[in-house]
Amino acid sequence: MKVLIVKTSSMGDVIHTLPALTDAIRAIPNIQFDWVVEEGFAQIPTWHPAVGQVIPVALRRWKKNLRSTLKNREWQNFKNKLAQSHYHCVIDAQGLIKSGLLTRIPQGARHGYDRHSIKEPIASYCYQYKHAVSKEQHAVERIRQLFSKALGYDLPNQIGDYGIASHFLNVTETNKTEAPYLMFLHATTRDNKHWPEDHWRSLIEKMAPMTIKLPWGAPHEYERAQRLAAGFSHVEVLPKLSLAEVAEQLAHAQAIVSVDTGLSHLAAALNRPNLTLYGPTDPGLIGGYGKNQHYLMASSHQSKDMATLTPEEVQEQLLALLTKTTQGSEQ
């Protein structure tokens, strides 16, 4: 059975789709998925054993320069290739107009959320089969339900399994000999999701002498990492890494502290102990999902200002998480 998934972005949304694939491959052993995904996240589906072909799409880049896109025929080539493909089932796991329209290109029965369950109701007109899925639950559970209804199997009762942690369990000699370390995921896209730099530096100081690693993606994130690390000998600013290389670092971290960012969802997918700091986001619907996931909310202070989360309370929760992790490994 061959199925096409349309779930193009963002990083967290792509990662949230993975447990549904694990459910499906356990229920239908011969199933194989192809996946249409934004080019920047094309590595992620390759980590799951149920995925055959990854089909990168560049809607974000094409939208920025339509003239160039039409001239170089990138869109037409993508469309022609997809139109020649045949699937038993095409599932729109995103629920947007753009993703709904993409489901109409290949051959295959089109499935998606019904108009009461979907983010952009007009998109539901793109599907032949429309499924009711409650919005009052985590995004991972919504996608798991959508897949079970589209593919005709009973949804498992247990928590979803992302199915990618084993991809990163081939520990190298470096990983075997390296001292335990923490990773602090300090970068996010929106200003109101950032934890203040002086708070990060205070937490870094409190966690000495334990090694702390700081990843980064864009130049301004590198500059922030350098500011956070300045004057601390136990902090390592990582070099520029691919997404897979960041995942490998996360997979071997003793624990992680993060703001609301795509990499926080990656930490959850790797089953790593993770403490996420939330301000304006409701973690109940799109927060960290899975084992060892914990969070602190600025809204508990009756304010969504991230600065109201103090380094002292974050340290307290982090130390409790480390104690729990250590005790679990000794059992």
Side-chain angles (χ1 to χ4, degrees):
M1 184 177 189
K2 196 171 182 181
V3 178
L4 179 67
I5 303 168
V6 178
K7 184 78 163 185
T8 61
S9 61
S10 60
M11 186 190 302
D13 291 340
V14 172
I15 291 169
H16 283 163
T17 309
L18 296 171
L21 276 70
T22 306
D23 293 341
I25 198 172
R26 289 172 178 171
I28 310 170
N30 66 336
I31 198 168
Q32 180 178 315
F33 293 94
D34 289 351
W35 193 326
V36 175
V37 63
E38 271 286 343
E39 57 186 1
F41 308 122
Q43 293 180 64
I44 298 173
T46 67
W47 302 336
H48 198 286
V51 175
Q53 182 182 14
V54 176
I55 306 169
V57 67
L59 296 178
R60 293 178 173 181
R61 177 166 56 82
W62 294 341
K63 185 178 179 180
K64 291 179 180 178
N65 197 335
L66 291 175
R67 180 179 296 180
S68 175
T69 298
L70 294 174
K71 185 177 180 179
N72 63 26
R73 295 184 58 81
E74 273 195 273
W75 162 250
Q76 193 61 46
N77 291 339
F78 164 81
K79 185 178 177 181
N80 290 344
K81 178 180 178 180
L82 199 58
Q84 296 169 11
S85 303
H86 184 276
Y87 296 93
H88 293 91
C89 181
V90 180
I91 303 176
D92 179 5
Q94 193 150 16
L96 302 178
I97 295 172
K98 66 178 182 181
S99 56
L101 291 173
L102 288 175
T103 67
R104 299 183 65 88
I105 300 175
Q107 302 174 57
R110 302 186 300 275
H111 292 255
Y113 298 107
D114 71 14
R115 65 188 183 90
H116 301 293
S117 309
I118 202 167
K119 188 171 183 179
E120 295 182 356
I122 294 176
S124 66
Y125 290 100
C126 296
Y127 320 131
Q128 295 162 300
Y129 301 93
K130 306 167 188 183
H131 304 284
V133 178
S134 171
K135 291 182 177 181
E136 301 304 315
Q137 56 188 326
H138 195 281
V140 170
E141 294 299 335
R142 278 174 47 81
I143 300 169
R144 293 178 74 197
Q145 287 187 24
L146 174 63
F147 273 55
S148 71
K149 292 184 176 186
L151 299 174
Y153 59 83
D154 293 332
L155 185 67
N157 292 324
Q158 65 266 33
I159 190 170
D161 177 2
Y162 292 92
I164 66 170
S166 60
H167 185 88
F168 297 95
L169 288 182
N170 296 322
V171 182
T172 63
E173 290 302 317
T174 300
N175 296 131
K176 290 180 181 178
T177 59
E178 188 173 11
Y181 62 88
L182 305 173
M183 283 188 73
F184 286 179
L185 306 179
H186 56 92
T188 187
T189 53
R190 286 168 46 187
D191 289 343
N192 61 352
K193 291 183 178 182
H194 279 291
W195 202 39
E197 290 185 20
D198 59 343
H199 284 28
W200 278 117
R201 284 184 56 82
S202 178
L203 180 62
I204 288 170
E205 183 177 17
K206 293 176 184 297
M207 296 307 297
M210 192 168 187
T211 298
I212 296 169
K213 295 188 178 184
L214 303 178
W216 55 277
H220 69 278
E221 295 170 357
Y222 173 74
E223 293 171 1
R224 182 189 301 111
Q226 291 286 359
R227 293 193 297 270
L228 297 181
F232 295 120
S233 60
H234 63 294
V235 179
E236 177 186 354
V237 176
L238 293 171
K240 177 74 170 179
L241 300 176
S242 69
L243 189 55
E245 290 170 332
V246 174
E248 185 172 348
Q249 291 286 332
L250 289 170
H252 298 108
Q254 189 170 8
I256 298 153
V257 178
S258 59
V259 290
D260 181 15
T261 177
L263 291 181
S264 179
H265 297 294
L266 181 54
L270 296 169
N271 297 328
R272 298 315 302 150
N274 181 25
L275 176 62
T276 307
L277 312 181
Y278 289 102
T281 307
D282 178 4
L285 299 179
I286 57 172
Y289 174 99
K291 301 175 182 177
N292 303 312
Q293 301 306 297
H294 306 267
Y295 62 86
L296 284 172
M297 293 182 61
S299 58
S300 64
H301 301 271
Q302 299 183 353
S303 167
K304 293 186 177 181
D305 183 358
M306 291 287 285
T308 61
L309 286 171
T310 68
E312 289 74 21
E313 62 185 318
V314 175
Q315 182 197 28
E316 180 181 358
Q317 292 294 318
L318 177 57
L319 291 174
L321 182 57
L322 288 169
T323 299
K324 182 179 179 180
T325 302
T326 302
Q327 290 173 345
S329 63
E330 292 175 350
Q331 293 176 355

